[in-house]
Amino acid sequence: MCARESARASLGIFARTFPGSAPGTVLSQARDAGYDSVQYNMACSGLASLPSVIAPEAISEIRNATRDTGVGIAALSATYNMVHPDAAVRAAGHQSLAVLAASAHTLKIPLLTLCTGSRNTADQWAPHPENSSAASWRELLESMSRAIKLAEQHDLVLGVEPEPSNVVASAILARRLINELASARVGIILDVANLIEPVLTDSAAARGDVIARAVDELADCIVLVHAKDRRADGTVVAPGDGLVDFDLCFTALSSSGVSAPVITHGLGAANAARTCLFLREKLASSR
């Protein structure tokens, strides 16, 4: 049991790709670069990404910006370290998640984005030997259960992104999480540039196999697709500048009936328009 399609299929971009701390400024740049939507981050409203409070005026500014620019918000960034060893740190993250969930409901943003975190206390994107432990998995399930209650309260979907250095680091672990949570409020964010990281220096066929297997494993649970690229040394680059086979990825998604929004990131504002054209071409040819 899992969530499916939190928003209409569209092509969007991380709002934080663009400079500015006012939603109108940021969304105007996304529109001018050719995007339908964004994954919004409260930093684009001059707040912390995980704010303790969001004033009504900030909500109004976001609503007005979406209306004036015609750019939708496919998702709201809400990632915190769900398995941090310090319970107080986890509690603070959950409190910010509650604030973001309430705001997303008000703004009719259907999806909150999450990653599962790391036992590494210095960096939630860094590995730690305990990430694969049974204790970390139990902690993750507890954090996710609390998040699901918020999603139910505010009529939202939670999108969980597998990350190489997090507890959920692969498509297989993502499927396990979906199966164990058994909630229609939880889906998966597919970013194949994350999943191919262990085989970046292998053959194109090996990378393609990882992509195909991931789509096959998770197709019924994909609520958002992230589109970034990687070079062989792991460096994140704009789509088309690395090793990700977007023809294979988008064709596999289309053949599996996945029509979730596509959100690009890992690029600078100067490359936004070029990337939009590249991804639209790849999406069109996959249908």
Side-chain angles (χ1 to χ4, degrees), residues 163-164 191-197 200 228-238 241-244:
E163 292 274 358
D191 188 333
V192 298
N194 291 340
L195 301 180
I196 67 169
E197 187 169 312
L200 279 172
K228 68 172 181 280
D229 214 336
R230 285 190 193 272
R231 294 193 175 119
D233 64 0
T235 302
V236 174
V237 291
D241 292 344
L243 297 173
V244 172

Side-chain angles (χ1 to χ4, degrees), residues 12 90 111 136 143 163 165 188 222 237 240 244 285:
R90 297 196 305 273
L111 179 69
S136 293
S143 292
E163 292 274 358
S165 297
I188 296 299
I222 296 170
V237 291
V244 172
S285 65

Side-chain angles (χ1 to χ4, degrees), residues 53-68:
V53 64
I54 300 173
E57 294 80 7
I59 299 297
S60 295
E61 288 179 0
I62 296 170
R63 183 185 292 111
N64 292 341
T66 59
R67 180 197 64 209
D68 294 344

Side-chain angles (χ1 to χ4, degrees), residues 247 251 280-287:
D247 289 311
T251 298
R280 286 202 186 280
E281 178 182 338
K282 296 299 181 183
L283 286 165
S285 65
S286 71
R287 298 190 182 105

Side-chain angles (χ1 to χ4, degrees), residues 220-231:
D220 65 315
C221 296
I222 296 170
V223 293
L224 195 68
V225 176
H226 277 175
K228 68 172 181 280
D229 214 336
R230 285 190 193 272
R231 294 193 175 119

Side-chain angles (χ1 to χ4, degrees), residues 1-6 111 157-162 171-190 214-225 253 256-261:
M1 182 179 185
C2 72
R4 183 61 187 255
E5 287 187 37
S6 61
L111 179 69
V157 171
L158 306 170
V160 177
E161 181 175 358
I172 290 173
L173 287 171
R175 170 52 66 183
R176 178 186 171 189
L177 183 71
I178 289 293
N179 290 348
E180 293 190 19
L181 291 172
S183 172
R185 294 292 175 180
V186 182
I188 296 299
I189 300 170
L190 182 74
V215 173
D216 184 61
E217 185 78 45
L218 300 169
D220 65 315
C221 296
I222 296 170
V223 293
L224 195 68
V225 176
L253 289 167
S256 298
V258 177
S259 58

Side-chain angles (χ1 to χ4, degrees), residues 40-136:
Y40 199 74
N41 188 299
M42 294 310 299
C44 299
S45 290
L47 302 174
S49 296
L50 292 171
S52 58
V53 64
I54 300 173
E57 294 80 7
I59 299 297
S60 295
E61 288 179 0
I62 296 170
R63 183 185 292 111
N64 292 341
T66 59
R67 180 197 64 209
D68 294 344
T69 62
V71 174
I73 300 181
L76 180 61
S77 296
T79 290
Y80 70 99
N81 194 343
M82 304 188 90
V83 296
H84 194 286
D86 188 335
V89 173
R90 297 196 305 273
H94 182 77
Q95 180 56 40
S96 291
L97 180 64
V99 171
L100 291 166
S103 297
H105 177 79
T106 300
L107 289 165
K108 296 181 170 56
I109 301 171
L111 179 69
L112 294 179
T113 66
L114 299 171
C115 295
T116 53
S118 172
R119 287 293 202 185
N120 191 309
T121 59
D123 183 357
Q124 67 177 319
W125 311 113
H128 192 278
E130 292 181 13
N131 284 353
S132 58
S133 70
S136 293

